[in-house]
């Protein structure tokens, strides 16, 4: 089945044996009757499993060319489940430019539990190997990175992970499986903040994991059930509905992203634009090889690297709503230093380019002419 068919039908066979409804019903129930202890029809308690969530988990697996999908109450809950595969004393090599909340989870929760994180620039993926030792259990890659749009070579990272018998997890939130399928490139775990493009309508907070290996899936399922950070049936339904248009939305996000990136690139008041579609992007060739297009996320700084000017612009934008999050049909703007990445200490974030003058755009699927006109009025000529 090709991707554009999978978004609609992937994992969705026989979702309603009772009446044949085309959409999976919302099983709004916490529990299921048993004829005798253990005598149930496959579900016993909705933390452990729910038919609407199960339909969604099959859809997640199908989109990422995986075998097993797991749905969580948020992207961070999904990441949390991955880190719970580890034990005190274990080490992780992680991308240094990553979502601020992932960094906060790693440094302010799990470092206290005795897990050590090495945050490194992975633009040259071979650097990862310098930080792998006998304690390393996980390589955490986010690509494209949030918010600097760095590209990390997943195949190269996977080769290092295999060589050292370490798990490779890829946060595929920015690319989505429409653009990039990390399991096909050798990753063991693919993770999503499904809150973003997968849901696509800024109405659900959710996370996803997809794997191929049965033993790994069983362990992650054990953690999901034992820790309990599951999503509910209503949200599972909304996510299934969102996924059905992922391919058409992503196509437009990519087209509009290109238009906006090129507009900003040619603007005299803009110092630098971060978008992997530019031939001048340091890892453009890797992006071209591992992604099918370049997406709708763009970051930029104005000339003079001026904080006040950046704030003035995000306040003045009208169609781009100033808000946390990304990946919805509506365009959003963000100021990473004070919003999504505020939990990363200034000196750490500035090392990766997250300066006070940086603006991040999530380019939506409105008419590109209107988006450019909005930027024009906000940035000025
Ligand atoms: O917000 P949540 O669903 O828990 O997902 C966390 C997360 C994980 N990974 C990446 C790459 C993310 O971008 C996020 C969430 N990011 C934002 C809210 C944001 O505005 O960047």
């Amino acid at each position: 089945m090709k991707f554009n068919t999978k978004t609609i039908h992937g994992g969705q066979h026989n979702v309603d044996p009772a009446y044949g409804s085309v959409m999976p019903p919302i099983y709004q129930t916490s529990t299921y009757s048993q004829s005798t202890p253990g005598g149930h029809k496959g579900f016993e308690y909705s933390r452990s499993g729910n038919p609407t969530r199960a339909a969604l988990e099959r859809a997640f697996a199908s989109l990422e060319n995986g075998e097993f999908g797991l749905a969580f109450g948020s992207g961070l809950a999904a990441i949390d489940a991955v880190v719970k595969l580890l034990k005190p004393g274990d080490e992780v090599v992680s991308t240094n430019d990553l979502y601020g909340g992932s960094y906060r989870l790693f440094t302010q929760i799990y470092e206290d539990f005795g897990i050590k994180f090495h945050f490194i620039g992975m633009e040259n993926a071979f650097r990862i190997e310098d930080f792998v030792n006998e304690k390393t259990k996980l390589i955490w890659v986010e690509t494209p990175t949030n918010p600097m749009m760095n590209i990390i070579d997943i195949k190269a990272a996977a080769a290092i992970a295999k060589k050292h018998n370490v798990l490779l997890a890829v946060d595929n939130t920015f690319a989505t499986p429409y653009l990039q399928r990390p399991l096909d490139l050798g990753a063991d775990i693919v993770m999503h903040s499904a809150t973003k493009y997968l849901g696509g309508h800024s109405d659900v907070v959710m996370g996803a994991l997809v794997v191929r290996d049965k033993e790994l899936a069983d362990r992650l399922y054990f953690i999901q059930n034992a820790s309990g950070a599951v999503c509910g049936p209503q949200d599972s339904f909304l996510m299934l509905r969102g996924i059905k248009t992922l391919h058409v939305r992503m196509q437009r996000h990519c087209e509009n992203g290109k238009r906006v990136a090129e507009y900003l690139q040619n603007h005299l008041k803009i110092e630098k634009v971060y978008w992997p579609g530019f031939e001048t992007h340091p890892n453009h060739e890797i992006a071209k090889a591992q992604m099918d297009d370049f997406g709708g996320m763009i970051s930029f700084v104005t000339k003079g690297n001026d904080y006040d000017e950046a704030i003035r612009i995000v306040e003045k934008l009208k169609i781009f709503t100033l808000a946390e999050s990304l990946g919805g049909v509506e365009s959003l703007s963000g100021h990473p230093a004070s919003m999504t990445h505020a939990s990363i200490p200034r000196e750490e974030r500035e090392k990766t380019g997250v300066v006070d003058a940086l603006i991040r755009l999530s380019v939506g699927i409105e008419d590109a002419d209107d988006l450019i006109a909005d930027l024009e009025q906000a940035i000025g000529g």
Side-chain angles (χ1 to χ4, degrees):
M1 203 188 277
K2 293 204 169 172
F3 188 82
N4 296 348
T5 311
K6 280 186 179 179
T7 58
I8 296 161
H9 298 287
Q12 301 308 298
H13 46 275
N14 198 22
V15 288
D16 176 24
Y19 298 109
S21 68
V22 168
M23 277 302 283
I26 302 171
Y27 282 92
Q28 192 68 49
T29 184
S30 60
T31 193
Y32 309 81
S33 70
Q34 307 192 12
S35 53
T36 183
H40 54 75
K41 297 185 170 129
F43 295 93
E44 48 191 335
Y45 184 58
S46 280
R47 168 163 40 71
S48 314
N50 171 283
T52 319
R53 195 178 93 216
L56 173 63
E57 290 177 326
R58 289 196 304 270
F60 282 151
S62 160
L63 289 178
E64 287 285 2
N65 293 339
E67 292 292 328
F68 307 96
L70 295 151
F72 293 84
S74 70
L76 281 173
I79 301 174
D80 184 73
V82 175
V83 186
K84 283 181 174 144
L85 293 166
L86 310 183
K87 295 198 168 53
D90 288 348
E91 296 192 6
V92 180
V93 185
S94 166
T95 313
N96 62 350
D97 169 40
L98 78 172
Y99 171 55
S102 310
Y103 180 88
R104 181 178 55 199
L105 176 70
F106 293 163
T107 56
Q108 295 189 44
I109 305 278
Y110 281 106
E111 280 188 351
D112 285 350
F113 285 93
I115 295 170
K116 185 168 176 186
F117 292 85
H118 301 270
F119 294 98
I120 65 162
M122 293 183 175
E123 299 81 62
N124 176 354
F126 296 103
R127 280 197 73 212
I128 296 171
E129 198 158 21
D130 296 343
F131 294 85
V132 173
N133 60 46
E134 68 287 352
K135 294 182 186 157
T136 312
K137 295 287 152 44
L138 175 68
I139 298 170
W140 185 266
V141 164
E142 190 179 295
T143 183
T145 61
N146 179 1
M148 297 311 298
M149 307 305 297
N150 288 313
I151 299 293
I152 295 156
D153 186 338
I154 298 173
K155 263 192 189 161
I160 295 165
K162 293 274 166 312
K163 182 173 158 195
H164 295 276
N165 199 20
V166 169
L167 288 173
L168 172 65
V170 176
D171 183 335
N172 203 26
T173 300
F174 270 33
T176 83
Y178 176 80
L179 297 178
Q180 168 175 285
R181 289 151 306 275
L183 298 180
D184 289 350
L185 299 169
D188 301 289
I189 302 172
V190 58
M191 174 265 153
H192 281 275
S193 170
T195 315
K196 311 297 172 349
Y197 288 105
L198 295 186
H201 296 77
S202 306
D203 51 10
V204 180
V205 173
M206 191 183 287
L209 296 178
V210 179
V211 301
R212 285 184 177 158
D213 181 73
K214 170 88 169 73
E215 216 178 295
L216 182 57
D218 287 348
R219 183 67 196 157
L220 287 167
Y221 172 70
F222 176 83
I223 292 168
Q224 182 196 40
N225 185 43
S227 296
V230 295
C231 55
Q234 288 273 357
D235 282 355
S236 300
F237 176 88
L238 282 173
M239 186 58 55
L240 276 163
R241 183 163 81 160
I243 285 172
K244 285 182 192 286
T245 55
L246 176 66
H247 52 307
V248 281
R249 285 186 283 107
M250 284 309 293
Q251 188 180 353
R252 183 65 67 86
H253 282 296
C254 291
E255 287 166 14
N256 285 0
K258 184 172 194 298
R259 285 275 311 274
V260 169
E262 284 170 354
Y263 163 78
L264 291 170
Q265 177 84 332
N266 292 323
H267 201 294
L268 291 175
K269 286 193 164 175
I270 304 299
E271 178 82 36
K272 183 139 179 68
V273 184
Y274 300 91
W275 183 65
F278 292 134
E279 281 178 17
T280 50
H281 184 288
N283 276 348
H284 176 67
E285 288 306 317
I286 296 168
K288 252 177 34 188
Q290 71 186 17
M291 297 170 73
D292 296 324
D293 206 336
F294 305 108
M297 292 303 298
I298 301 167
S299 293
F300 67 98
V301 281
T302 52
K303 277 242 155 72
N305 209 357
D306 184 345
Y307 167 78
D308 294 331
E309 176 71 353
I311 298 302
R312 199 189 56 75
I313 291 170
V314 292
E315 284 176 356
K316 236 180 144 193
L317 285 166
K318 293 193 175 83
I319 298 178
F320 283 86
T321 304
L322 178 61
E324 307 252 354
S325 205
L326 59 109
V329 290
E330 60 289 290
S331 292
L332 300 183
S333 69
H335 181 247
S338 66
M339 296 167 73
T340 48
H341 293 69
S343 55
I344 305 181
R346 173 187 292 275
E347 71 215 56
E348 285 306 312
R349 65 174 164 76
E350 287 189 344
K351 268 190 226 159
T352 63
V354 186
V355 292
D356 284 349
L358 188 81
I359 294 173
R360 190 188 73 180
L361 299 179
S362 171
V363 180
I365 64 170
E366 301 95 335
D367 194 295
D369 290 343
D370 288 331
L371 298 179
I372 288 168
D374 192 28
L375 287 161
E376 186 80 12
Q377 66 78 26
I379 300 170

